[in-house]
Amino acid sequence: MDKVTILDHPLIQHKLTLLRQEETDSKQFRELVNEISMLMGYEALKDMPLKKIKIKTPIAETVQKTLDGEKLAVVPILRAGLGMVNGILALVPFAKIGHIGLYRDHETHEPHEYYCKLPEDIDKRQVVLLDPMLATGGSAEAAVTFIKEKGCKNIKFMSIIAAPEGIKRLSEAHPDIHIYCGGVDERLNKDCYIVPGLGDAGDRMFGTI
Ligand code: PRP
Ligand code: URA
């Protein structure tokens, strides 16, 4: 599990507690997801390569560091992953955005694809795959498989809350990808919801409960 990082900064933990609370409404929920995603992205992207460039300040010429132009693609898993996009784009506004639409079957809990549109050059990009919930891991596993089929080798997966079952499934299916979570909860319930979790992320985000 050396490729699993729990991003438990106090600010993330505080906002995650607010996010979980059932009285948190959709507007607050979206704001919190956005803020948590930005805080998580700040940590998850800390290995971005740098290069040195020569610049001139008002005082002197100097050699300083700048991002080495590594190309990023941010890919939310619809619907709930959409809420994480702007938090990451605030940090890397030059990233391209792809979309993967998946929903979990209510009976089998297995994912079904209904949409996939990815940047053409995604195989040359570092991919940051976003979904606030990693429950059984079926959706994340399927999304990583699609992206790999396009030739991508460099994939990070970010979820706000993960279940141990989801981490296990995703890291066994795709041991090469790096998983970042804001918190790891106890378990899944019989309906494959994360306990204690936060309920249905998509419904809470978009007010479709
Ligand atoms: C939720 C969530 C993940 C998935 C996680 O989406 O946003 O995509 O479930 O569960 P898993 O790890 O067991 O696959 P859902 O299928 O409810 O679709 P929605 O985002 O459109 O509501
Ligand atoms: N999807 C959600 O939105 N919440 C869960 O707890 C599990 C899957």
Side-chain angles (χ1 to χ4, degrees):
M1 294 277 184
D2 59 328
K3 290 217 168 211
V4 180
T5 304
I6 315 301
L7 300 171
D8 55 0
H9 188 288
L11 285 170
I12 295 178
Q13 292 190 53
H14 174 79
K15 289 176 190 295
L16 190 44
T17 299
L18 295 172
L19 191 69
R20 291 178 189 276
Q21 288 171 337
E22 62 181 354
E23 59 270 28
T24 298
D25 65 22
S26 289
K27 176 178 179 289
Q28 294 168 310
F29 193 92
R30 287 192 295 270
E31 289 167 357
L32 286 163
V33 167
N34 184 49
E35 291 164 6
I36 293 169
S37 304
M38 186 162 23
L39 292 167
M40 290 182 67
Y42 175 76
E43 277 299 311
L45 295 175
K46 72 178 179 192
D47 60 353
M48 286 180 86
L50 293 168
K51 65 179 176 190
K52 289 187 175 168
I53 57 166
K54 205 190 283 183
I55 60 163
K56 219 169 145 216
T57 76
I59 307 298
E61 277 197 356
T62 174
V63 173
Q64 299 292 334
K65 290 172 189 163
T66 185
L67 287 173
D68 193 20
E70 185 184 40
K71 292 179 172 176
L72 252 96
V74 178
V75 181
I77 300 178
L78 309 182
R79 289 178 298 168
L82 281 175
M84 299 177 73
V85 172
N86 284 344
I88 305 298
L89 286 185
L91 305 173
V92 282
F94 47 83
K96 283 196 178 174
I97 306 167
H99 295 86
I100 295 179
L102 294 172
Y103 71 89
R104 279 200 325 179
D105 182 278
H106 284 294
E107 299 291 320
T108 65
H109 309 299
E110 282 303 306
H112 292 269
E113 183 202 350
Y114 60 89
Y115 188 77
C116 185
K117 183 84 178 168
L118 300 169
E120 251 175 34
D121 60 349
I122 194 161
D123 57 318
K124 298 179 187 65
R125 290 176 178 264
Q126 153 87 70
V127 175
V128 183
L129 184 62
L130 304 174
D131 194 327
M133 309 305 279
L134 179 63
T136 65
S139 304
E141 181 188 345
V144 173
T145 301
F146 293 142
I147 293 171
K148 283 188 173 171
E149 281 168 5
K150 305 284 178 198
C152 296
K153 287 169 200 71
N154 197 352
I155 303 168
K156 292 176 192 269
F157 176 79
M158 276 178 53
S159 69
I160 294 180
I161 300 179
E165 295 89 332
I167 293 180
K168 184 169 185 295
R169 176 168 173 174
L170 183 57
S171 52
E172 283 177 4
H174 298 292
D176 53 307
I177 72 161
H178 202 129
I179 302 171
Y180 298 88
C181 322
V184 181
D185 278 8
E186 288 163 26
R187 60 185 170 87
L188 298 176
N189 69 13
K190 66 173 176 35
D191 299 317
C192 291
Y193 276 85
I194 299 175
V195 181
L198 50 70
D200 188 305
D203 283 346
R204 292 196 63 187
M205 189 176 292
F206 299 112
T208 48
I209 302 169

